[in-house]
Amino acid sequence: MTTRPFHHGNLRAVLLEQAQTMLRATGTDGLSLRELARQAGVSHGAPRSHFIDRQALLDALAELGFDRLTQAVQSAVDGADSARVAFDHVARAYVDFAIEDAALMELMFAAKTSARPGAVQDAAGRLFGALDDVMGPSGPDADATARDTFKLLFGATMQGIAALVASGRIARVQGDALVTAAMTMLLDSELGRRVVTRR
C-alpha cells in the first residue's frame, strides 16, 4: 500500500494527483474509487468525501485537464512577438500536452458538451477563451462563428497530430513538421486571415 503523507485539507488534491498517475498507466478503465483509495493509501470511503461516484472523479479530472491545458496555452504565448510565433508556441504546447497526457485529453473531450457538468463546461470555456486571446481582439464587427470555427479546427488538427505521434504511427519529428505545416495552412487560409487579428 502506498503511504503518502498528506494533511486532511489537501486530500482532494492528493487523490486527483494519484488519479492522473493511474489514468496515464491504465486509462479510464482502470480508474475506480476503491483502487484510487488503495493507491493513495487511504480508507476505501475517503475518496467519497470529495467524489460522490466514479463519474464525479472523471469530471474532476476533465476539469483539471482543461485548466492545465489552459495554463500551458497561456504560458506558451509569453514573449511571442507575432501571431505566427504565438500560434507556433501554442500549437507545440497543445501537442505536447496531448501526447504526454493522451488518456486525460481523451477524457476531456469524450462526452458531449451538453452532458458535462457546469464546472467542466466552464473549464473548457476557459481554454477556448485563452485560444481566443491568442487570436487577438475580435472587434465590434467580428464573426464569432468564424472565430469558433478556427479554434475548433486548431484543436482538432493538433489533437489529430498528437494522436498519430502517441500511437506510433509517425515519429515525433514528423509530428513537429506537421505542426509547422498545419499552422502555416491555418494562418494563411482565408479563415485565418479573417479572424486572427494579432500581428
Side-chain angles (χ1 to χ4, degrees), residues 8 53 56 69 91-92 110-111 118 126 134 137 151 162 164 174 179 187:
H8 179 71
D53 55 21
L69 183 52
R92 292 178 197 287
R126 289 191 291 274
V134 181
K151 288 180 283 187
L164 289 172
Q174 291 174 289
V179 168
L187 291 171

Side-chain angles (χ1 to χ4, degrees), residues 67-167:
D67 285 341
R68 282 183 47 211
L69 183 52
T70 298
Q71 291 169 4
V73 166
Q74 292 170 334
S75 296
V77 179
D78 291 345
D81 57 4
S82 70
R84 236 165 247 285
V85 172
F87 266 107
D88 181 73
H89 291 177
V90 167
R92 292 178 197 287
Y94 200 106
V95 169
D96 285 346
F97 181 95
I99 291 172
E100 292 163 12
D101 273 304
L104 180 58
M105 186 68 114
E106 182 179 351
L107 172 62
M108 288 158 57
F109 290 95
K112 294 179 180 178
T113 304
S114 60
R116 305 311 288 268
V120 179
Q121 288 190 40
D122 291 346
R126 289 191 291 274
L127 170 61
F128 279 86
L131 291 175
D132 204 66
D133 290 342
V134 181
M135 294 169 67
S138 58
D141 299 321
D143 184 339
T145 300
R147 285 177 71 95
D148 286 345
T149 298
F150 183 90
K151 288 180 283 187
L152 289 170
L153 279 172
F154 170 85
T157 303
M158 295 310 131
Q159 284 175 235
I161 293 170
L164 289 172
V165 175
S167 67

Side-chain angles (χ1 to χ4, degrees), residues 16-99:
L16 283 173
E17 180 184 346
Q18 186 61 46
Q20 287 181 86
T21 300
M22 293 172 63
L23 188 64
R24 291 186 191 105
T26 66
T28 55
D29 290 343
L31 270 181
S32 71
L33 293 178
R34 179 175 289 272
E35 181 60 19
L36 177 59
R38 191 185 75 77
Q39 292 282 338
V42 298
S43 69
H44 292 322
R48 290 193 182 276
S49 63
H50 296 282
F51 312 109
I52 190 170
D53 55 21
R54 182 175 182 273
Q55 188 58 54
L57 171 63
L58 295 177
D59 289 337
L61 281 170
E63 180 185 355
L64 179 65
F66 277 118
D67 285 341
R68 282 183 47 211
L69 183 52
T70 298
Q71 291 169 4
V73 166
Q74 292 170 334
S75 296
V77 179
D78 291 345
D81 57 4
S82 70
R84 236 165 247 285
V85 172
F87 266 107
D88 181 73
H89 291 177
V90 167
R92 292 178 197 287
Y94 200 106
V95 169
D96 285 346
F97 181 95
I99 291 172

